[in-house]
Amino acid sequence: MKKEEILQLLENYLEDINLEDDGMNFETAVEEILFHHNLLKGSGLHENEDLSSDECYDRAMESDDLPEKMEYLNRAVRLDPMNLEARAEKIHLESEDSLSELEELGKLAQFAEEMLKKNHIVEDDDEGSYYGIPETRPYIRLRFRRLRLYLDCGMMNKAEKEAMDILRLNEMDNLGVRFTLGCIYAFQENREKLEKLDEIYPQESISTKLIDAVLLYKEGRVEALQEKLKEIFELDDRFADQVDCIDYDGIEEYLDVQEELPFYRPNSIEELSLLMLHNRFLFRGIEPFYEYASIFLTETYGLFDDEMMDDEDEEDYKDIPF
């Protein structure tokens, strides 16, 4: 095909579509027309596979080969421009830095919200019931992805606003955003906001108890902290081993080992490990907390023989700052 014919194809195609309504940028539109006319260069290894957009996304996430991953992601987006997870992953892989990624995720979130309303998938009175409507779940997961990136960038105020907005849209909190928001409030040492959040979601769990314990530590409220540590221990007595491991190995080394948890059980140290993994910002830099918790639980419950704690340990326990 001659150069003039290719340019005419592109011009005709761009006249027939609305980039904004179809959720495509110029580059994606050009890629699509080239693909449909067999002019797009690529490996071609998977073009004969009869896959849906979601299946292409799944294949992409399973692949460790970057070119193959991108090929599947591009195909997923071509098949369904509203495949937000594929588009978000493309943004992640193509962005030069986190700020660029945040900017592009913001544009994608705005586009997705507009399309949900334009297609009457959600109405104004649906606020609060997002995620209960299946078509809105990719949008909420996209917002959650942006929340995680805000936290990774240390943008705590933006992360707080994003978390509050997600909970406004999804009051049932299917993704557990309230725990992240609680960690943000504990990090900010904002007891008032944390208590208001607990009033909205009053069901206590081992995660909410640990968040409160960290805040009590930051506030220097020793007696209240001791009671909270005992409450956590009574839910799962392995908590003593957990804080002892963190005290010995350090939080980063401990969490690196926890990346591949074999299973999850509510109100267990596995739940606490997930809380720490997803909210490292709160659990870094509080080494004296783990040291204090380890020694306090050991002494309180007689977990080791008296000779296991030498004079140096006892002095450390007395000198931990509050």
Side-chain angles (χ1 to χ4, degrees), residues 148 151 156 178-188 194 205-218 225 228-229 232 239 242-243 245-247 249-255 258 268-291 293:
R148 305 301 328 164
L151 292 171
M156 305 308 292
R178 65 186 181 278
F179 299 111
T180 295
L181 186 57
C183 287
I184 292 172
Y185 291 152
F187 180 83
Q188 296 170 336
L194 183 60
S205 68
I206 199 168
S207 291
T208 59
K209 290 181 185 296
L210 181 60
I211 293 169
D212 195 31
V214 172
L215 182 53
L216 289 168
Y217 157 77
K218 288 170 171 279
L225 171 60
K228 193 63 63 175
L229 291 173
I232 298 172
F239 176 59
Q242 185 179 44
V243 290
C245 286
I246 296 173
D247 178 39
D249 295 328
I251 184 65
E252 295 296 344
E253 184 173 339
Y254 174 80
L255 290 180
Q258 303 302 307
S268 68
I269 63 167
E270 286 78 28
E271 179 179 324
L272 293 184
S273 293
L274 285 174
L275 180 74
M276 294 177 188
L277 277 168
H278 295 157
N279 301 281
R280 293 183 185 229
F281 63 91
L282 176 62
F283 299 99
R284 291 182 176 124
I286 55 170
E287 288 77 10
F289 168 79
Y290 304 114
E291 183 181 14

Side-chain angles (χ1 to χ4, degrees), residues 1-48:
M1 185 175 288
K2 295 180 180 180
K3 177 180 178 181
E4 293 77 12
E5 294 175 318
I6 296 174
L7 292 175
Q8 187 61 52
L9 276 174
L10 290 171
E11 183 178 344
N12 294 341
Y13 181 68
L14 292 173
E15 287 178 355
D16 291 339
I17 66 169
N18 185 313
L19 291 180
E20 183 176 347
D21 287 348
D22 288 347
M24 291 186 287
N25 57 27
F26 178 77
E27 290 79 6
T28 305
V30 171
E31 181 182 283
E32 179 161 318
I33 187 61
L34 292 177
F35 171 77
H36 282 300
H37 287 272
N38 298 316
L39 299 172
L40 183 64
K41 292 182 179 181
S43 68
L45 293 175
H46 310 291
E47 297 302 346
N48 293 326

Side-chain angles (χ1 to χ4, degrees), residues 22-80:
D22 288 347
M24 291 186 287
N25 57 27
F26 178 77
E27 290 79 6
T28 305
V30 171
E31 181 182 283
E32 179 161 318
I33 187 61
L34 292 177
F35 171 77
H36 282 300
H37 287 272
N38 298 316
L39 299 172
L40 183 64
K41 292 182 179 181
S43 68
L45 293 175
H46 310 291
E47 297 302 346
N48 293 326
E49 294 178 299
D50 185 16
L51 300 174
S52 68
S53 178
D54 288 338
E55 288 170 332
C56 287
Y57 171 73
D58 291 339
R59 292 281 185 93
M61 300 310 293
E62 292 168 1
S63 176
D64 294 325
D65 180 72
L66 183 58
E68 182 181 59
K69 183 187 289 285
M70 289 303 301
E71 184 176 344
Y72 274 123
L73 289 173
N74 287 328
R75 189 174 174 194
V77 174
R78 286 196 297 267
L79 291 169
D80 179 11

Side-chain angles (χ1 to χ4, degrees), residues 81-122:
M82 279 297 291
N83 189 328
L84 302 182
E85 286 162 312
R87 294 183 64 171
E89 187 64 20
K90 268 175 58 68
I91 288 171
H92 172 67
L93 294 173
E94 294 172 346
S95 297
E96 295 182 355
D97 51 63
S98 295
L99 292 179
S100 300
E101 184 176 354
L102 280 170
E103 182 179 2
E104 292 303 315
L105 287 178
K107 293 177 182 177
L108 181 58
Q110 182 178 358
F111 159 73
E113 184 175 3
E114 290 172 354
M115 295 305 293
L116 287 174
K117 293 178 179 178
K118 179 179 179 180
N119 295 329
H120 303 289
I121 295 172
V122 295

